[in-house]
Amino acid sequence: MTEHLTDRILEENAAVFSAMISHRFVQDIAADELPAAVFDRYLLIEGAFVETAMAIFGYAVAKATDLEDRRKLIGTLDALANEQMAYFETAFAQRGIAPDAALQADPRVAAFRDGMLEIARDGDFGAIVTAMFAAEWMYWTWCTALRDAAITDPMVRDWVDMHAAPGFTAQAAWLRDRLDVLGADMTEAERDATVRLFGRVQQLEIDFHSAAYADSSISAA
Ligand SMILES: Cc1ncc(C[n+]2csc(CCO)c2C)c(N)n1
């Protein structure tokens, strides 16, 4: 079997991946019609997710067996703690918003956070790479597609640009290449499991992004 594992993952999950990259949240940004209140709620749940991502990458550092993997993941942790978190601190201050416990308790937000953490805690290194590949490849795809879109809100513009920039592109490509190398040594059952895991993460992502819309949120009634 010489096929790259990630080609198979993307092929077999094409429907759910496409549903995510054409989510209402992405379409609203593409049309320059994302309501400010939706982006505010998104920033609050997303800022909390970056903290979760640090925990996930921490598990990956612990479970890695290769020094080069550890170096790479520690670089990612540094960028999350010092660059990404700085973006959220500035964004919260400029928009006058503050973390909201009710929003974090929305079942769709909780399912994403807890589901991703569970994969990192209970899964092996390959499972963590698969989950992060799912989350990052998806962002890289839609943000790259919107590179030339007219986006008025400078913070939304920055957010899209950040995920189409060379640094993020390299990070998403590293996850893809790493998973292909890991896949070459997996059993067929293990490869099947990564295909399913990728699909599960896309569904968690769809629900997470839906939670940014108050009209479909249980906490906004
Ligand atoms: C809900 C959600 N899903 C995926 C990403 C993409 N992403 C950007 S940075 C990062 C962590 C490590 O690089 C991930 C997964 C996101 N931002 N938010």
Side-chain angles (χ1 to χ4, degrees), residues 46 49 57 84 112 132 135-136 139 163 168 171 205 208:
E46 176 63 22
F49 170 62
F57 279 101
Q84 285 257 12
F112 180 69
M132 294 319 283
E136 296 199 13
Y139 260 66
H163 294 98
F168 190 74
Q171 158 87 5
E205 289 274 12
F208 174 90

Side-chain angles (χ1 to χ4, degrees), residues 9-75:
I9 287 175
L10 290 168
E11 222 172 86
E12 294 190 22
N13 288 292
V16 72
F17 187 78
S18 162
M20 176 57 230
I21 64 172
S22 57
H23 190 284
R24 178 180 175 190
F25 179 78
V26 177
Q27 288 193 17
D28 280 351
I29 292 178
D32 203 20
E33 281 173 0
L34 186 73
V38 173
F39 195 58
D40 285 349
R41 274 190 298 275
Y42 171 77
L43 287 172
L44 292 173
I45 58 177
E46 176 63 22
F49 170 62
V50 174
E51 296 198 40
T52 303
M54 287 190 274
I56 295 168
F57 279 101
Y59 278 114
V61 172
K63 292 180 181 186
T65 52
D66 181 284
L67 177 61
E68 283 313 310
D69 285 343
R70 285 207 159 108
R71 286 191 170 125
K72 170 78 196 162
L73 294 162
I74 290 165

